[in-house]
Amino acid sequence: GAGVSQSPRYKVAKRGQDVALRCDPISGHVSLFWYQQALGQGPEFLTYFQNEAQLDKSGLPSDRFFAERPEGSVSTLKIQRTQQEDSAVYLCASSKGGSLNQPQHFGDGTRLSIL
Amino acid sequence: AQRVTQPEKLLSVFKGAPVELKCNYSYSGSPELFWYVQYSRQRLQLLLRHISRESIKGFTADLNKGETSFHLKKPFAQEEDSAMYYCALTRGGADGLTFGKGTHLIIQP
């Protein structure tokens, strides 16, 4: 595809349910990032993959959040036992990676609402 | 830890007037600075980065290490510049972005 693709675009879940958000990065992009954007705020870093390796997960807010990228392409962000404070837009970004800092390309995001 | 501050939540200027969106950062090392823009109903996209030293859509931004600032400027605003603007930094290499809270720019006709 031409850009980063995220699905679903919208997700509504009841408090306590588990959710899974998917990200398809730009083909060939080595680096993949997840961000959380609360209403009226800038995106906040959650985690970063280089190929299938999760190199930084310092931004994950709790152990209820888990991300994986098993084959170094598609990534899934899973949130277990969702809470109302998890309501936000979840953004995925990818970049070519490598030793030079490459710009990150963002998807449209998944808007998660926890009732 | 690094931090990015955008002091203006909302900035409204008339078409043809100069625009300056302020961005200050705190980081002890040598960061890389970016401006991202999000137009209505579109995804977040890169506007410019300091290492490129280029002008995109008439916008420029100069990194001032002494004042730890990376303000975004345009001499003559156009209506299509209305959007959310986010300043962001990385510590270098392949690293997560630290964003400011954003400035909503409105260009009045």
Side-chain angles (χ1 to χ4, degrees), chain A residues 12 16 21 30 36 39 41 45 48 57 65 72 82 90 102:
Chain A
V12 179
L21 313 179
V30 168
Q36 179 191 58
L39 190 63
Q41 304 293 316
F45 170 77
Y48 155 58
K57 53 182 181 179
F65 286 72
T82 52
Y90 291 84
Q102 297 287 334

Side-chain angles (χ1 to χ4, degrees), chain A residues 21-63:
Chain A
L21 313 179
R22 176 186 168 106
C23 173
D24 280 89
I26 293 173
S27 178
H29 276 194
V30 168
S31 299
L32 186 146
F33 305 81
W34 283 99
Y35 296 86
Q36 179 191 58
Q37 185 172 20
L39 190 63
Q41 304 293 316
E44 292 195 0
F45 170 77
L46 293 178
T47 187
Y48 155 58
F49 290 85
Q50 185 169 313
N51 295 306
E52 69 279 2
Q54 189 174 19
L55 299 187
D56 186 349
K57 53 182 181 179
S58 62
L60 295 177
S62 77
D63 57 8

Side-chain angles (χ1 to χ4, degrees), chain A residues 4 35 37 101 104 106 108, chain B residues 32 43 49 86 90 93 97:
Chain A
V4 177
Y35 296 86
Q37 185 172 20
N101 199 1
Q104 296 181 26
F106 284 81
D108 286 322
Chain B
E32 182 165 356
R43 61 183 60 184
R49 50 197 304 204
Y86 295 95
T90 68
L97 290 159

